[in-house]
Amino acid sequence: MELRHLKVFLTVADELHFGRAAEVLRMAQPAVSRTVRQFEQELGYDLFNRNTRSVELTPAGEALLEPAQRMVALEQETIRTVRLAAQGISGAVRIAYAGIATIPQMSALARAVRREMPDISLELKSQTYASQGIELLLSNEADLVFGRWDYLPDEVSTHVVSEDALVVAMPTSHPLAEAESVSIAELLDEDWVTLAFSTNSVLPSRLAELFRAQGMNPRIAQEVPDTLSAMSLVMAEVGLSLTLASVRDNFRGSHIAYVPLSDAVARVDLQLAWRGGKESPALTTVIRIAQGLSEPAAEDETQPERG
């Protein structure tokens, strides 16, 4: 059974006239009649009753109508799907993200993709740490990753989604809770709540870097698995926590204050990462939409190192 047989059959069934069907198909009438006869021979049943005055469907022809329509529609949908995928208008893109500070930007991207390219589906993967997202990227389990990194492999390309800054989260009862800014030198004797240093996360790295500049190591009261846990322990007065301005904007508690850090430190911008040279048309489209949502920060020595 060939699709051309089905298309000719459906046209004749619609017109119930071989001459008119031939005009619609832009075929010679004998060719239409021959195609229908070949199809009937293949099936072993007549599909039309013909005489000099009329053409009508046989019971076999009536039974074939619906499945023939489905098969032709499936072919058309298949062609459309392939065409849209090749043009970057459809397809699936897997996005990994980590942390509450990432959600607004990821949501903005999802809304923009849905608005501009509704045939592209986004598969979201929530991760605890940005380093896990890069592992998914390199193992081809994710196409795009939101995160903050100090070091990235050479094959990974990035785009700055939003600039960010460091703040110190502290209980509202702390003497510096209402300060306009604070330096690490003022906080050397404090206890700290932080993500595990073994996670290769940016925040523990920045905390260690700031303390090294003072010739000291931070006094860690507790390591936690995620930012929400850290902020909860800050409100419980277990210690201070080095975090992001974007966390401040997305997590408000009645017993927590966020004070800007005055120390100069490497940037902690949120970035979107992907494997350069491995972009599918759909991925290229999503990257283009993401780049249109934000202006990348100027390149300088504080960008993630390669290698």
Side-chain angles (χ1 to χ4, degrees), residues 161-175:
V161 175
S162 62
E163 298 182 7
D164 215 333
L166 293 174
V167 299
V168 178
M170 58 181 66
T172 52
S173 58
H174 194 281

Side-chain angles (χ1 to χ4, degrees), residues 140-202:
N140 197 35
E141 296 177 69
D143 303 305
L144 283 174
V145 182
F146 280 96
R148 297 169 173 83
W149 304 276
D150 284 327
Y151 305 97
L152 287 171
D154 290 337
E155 64 265 36
V156 174
S157 300
T158 61
H159 167 73
V160 174
V161 175
S162 62
E163 298 182 7
D164 215 333
L166 293 174
V167 299
V168 178
M170 58 181 66
T172 52
S173 58
H174 194 281
L176 295 174
E178 297 184 6
E180 291 186 3
S181 64
V182 66
S183 69
I184 286 295
E186 299 175 84
L187 305 171
L188 296 178
D189 295 328
E190 300 285 348
D191 291 330
W192 292 86
V193 176
T194 182
L195 299 175
F197 283 83
S198 60
T199 62
N200 296 318
S201 297
V202 167

Side-chain angles (χ1 to χ4, degrees), residues 237-288:
E237 302 187 356
V238 173
L240 312 186
S241 185
L242 186 66
T243 191
L244 302 162
S246 52
V247 171
R248 173 199 62 201
D249 297 338
N250 290 283
F251 182 87
R252 295 287 184 177
S254 58
H255 300 290
I256 192 169
Y258 300 92
V259 183
L261 186 70
S262 61
D263 300 67
V265 68
R267 292 202 328 238
V268 288
D269 299 336
L270 179 64
Q271 299 182 76
L272 194 60
W274 64 94
R275 293 183 68 185
K278 301 292 184 181
E279 302 92 339
S280 67
L283 176 56
T284 298
T285 298
V286 172
I287 293 170
R288 174 184 58 76

Side-chain angles (χ1 to χ4, degrees), residues 11 25 57 83 88 112 118 151 185 206 215 227 253 257 270 273 280 288 306:
T11 305
L25 293 166
L57 286 164
R83 182 176 67 251
Y151 305 97
R206 293 292 183 277
T227 298
L270 179 64
S280 67
R288 174 184 58 76
R306 305 289 169 169

Side-chain angles (χ1 to χ4, degrees), residues 196-233:
F197 283 83
S198 60
T199 62
N200 296 318
S201 297
V202 167
L203 292 176
S205 174
R206 293 292 183 277
L207 184 63
E209 175 186 333
L210 289 162
F211 267 82
R212 279 197 303 268
Q214 301 293 325
M216 297 180 64
N217 292 317
R219 191 167 66 204
I220 305 302
Q222 192 165 335
E223 291 187 349
V224 293
D226 53 53
T227 298
L228 282 175
S229 299
M231 298 305 101
S232 297
L233 291 179

